Amino acid sequence: MEKTTPRPVFRTRREQLRNGGRGSLIGTAFGLMWFALGQSAVEGSARPAVLAAGLVLLAASIGGVVYLFRMAARIPAEQQGAPVAPGGDGPRFMTVVIVEAIVLGVGNNYVRTGLHRPELMLSWSALVVGAHFFPMARTLRAPMLRVIGGLMIATVPVAALSSLVPGAPDAVWQAVPGLGCAAVLWAGAVYTAVRAGRTPAEDGVATTSA
């Protein structure tokens, strides 16, 4: 029997924009949490510059969220969006979240009480949260989540390299993943908004949980 090519799934453009807006809003909020944890490990003259850069990125991320929702409100309700990315058959959303929470809790408890290296907890969190975006990308039909997950994971080797610099404090294991993951999530929100303004529809949700 000849195989038939599955017909592409479409959503309305308004629905896709709202999905992007909701994902970007969640990413913005979690980015603020990552930033708060990361900047607390920054000391000295670098602290004001870090805070200023964070405020600029946060403002841009919030602007992206507002833009997506405003655009969605102006789009005709019946306007067809772009084809939805393949997926939807990955692990259930709550299954991924529950596994993520367990791995985070167990791992960070071991890092704190077994290794006695609490400064590594944020690096472990970046690895776990970044990894959880890969199954989420399939489940939510949002390929962009793979990019976000990969970049969050990449903050850990950057922290490792930073720790090799002579005189580097142990706090780099907290500062680099915290600030790096915040920047990734906020940049994802901005990119989602920019892409939505350039293309017929935007289905790449910036993030869902971080």
Side-chain angles (χ1 to χ4, degrees):
M1 180 181 296
E2 184 179 354
K3 292 184 178 180
T4 58
T5 303
R7 297 181 62 183
V9 178
F10 288 88
R11 293 178 185 157
T12 66
R13 178 155 165 73
R14 176 178 291 181
E15 183 182 5
Q16 291 177 327
L17 287 166
R18 284 177 175 171
N19 284 344
R22 284 189 288 266
S24 295
L25 178 60
I26 296 171
T28 299
F30 275 103
L32 185 58
M33 180 194 72
W34 282 96
F35 183 80
L37 293 171
Q39 64 83 30
S40 65
V42 179
E43 298 178 352
S45 60
R47 189 174 178 82
V50 167
L51 290 173
L55 287 174
V56 171
L57 285 175
L58 175 60
S61 185
I62 293 172
V65 173
V66 172
Y67 174 78
L68 286 164
F69 281 117
R70 290 189 64 182
M71 180 180 283
R74 295 196 301 265
I75 292 293
E78 68 281 359
Q79 182 174 334
Q80 181 174 282
V84 175
D89 54 352
R92 292 182 181 274
F93 178 88
M94 285 308 301
T95 300
V96 177
V97 172
I98 291 171
V99 170
E100 176 197 22
I102 293 173
V103 176
L104 273 174
V106 172
N108 277 326
N109 182 65
Y110 175 73
V111 168
R112 186 180 68 255
T113 62
L115 297 180
H116 304 289
R117 295 288 303 274
E119 73 277 5
L120 297 178
M121 291 173 63
L122 213 57
S123 291
W124 173 253
S125 298
L127 291 174
V128 176
V129 174
H132 107 287
F133 279 117
F134 288 87
M136 280 294 192
R138 183 77 182 174
T139 300
L140 299 176
R141 299 175 181 265
M144 182 179 169
L145 294 181
R146 297 189 184 95
V147 178
I148 289 178
L151 290 174
M152 291 183 76
I153 290 172
T155 64
V156 178
V158 172
L161 290 173
S162 300
S163 71
L164 299 177
V165 176
D170 288 341
V172 298
W173 290 101
Q174 177 178 338
V176 174
L179 300 176
C181 288
V184 168
L185 292 170
W186 289 340
V190 173
Y191 175 77
T192 299
V194 171
R195 183 181 173 191
R198 289 202 315 255
T199 60
E202 170 60 43
D203 194 50
V205 181
T207 186
T208 55
S209 61

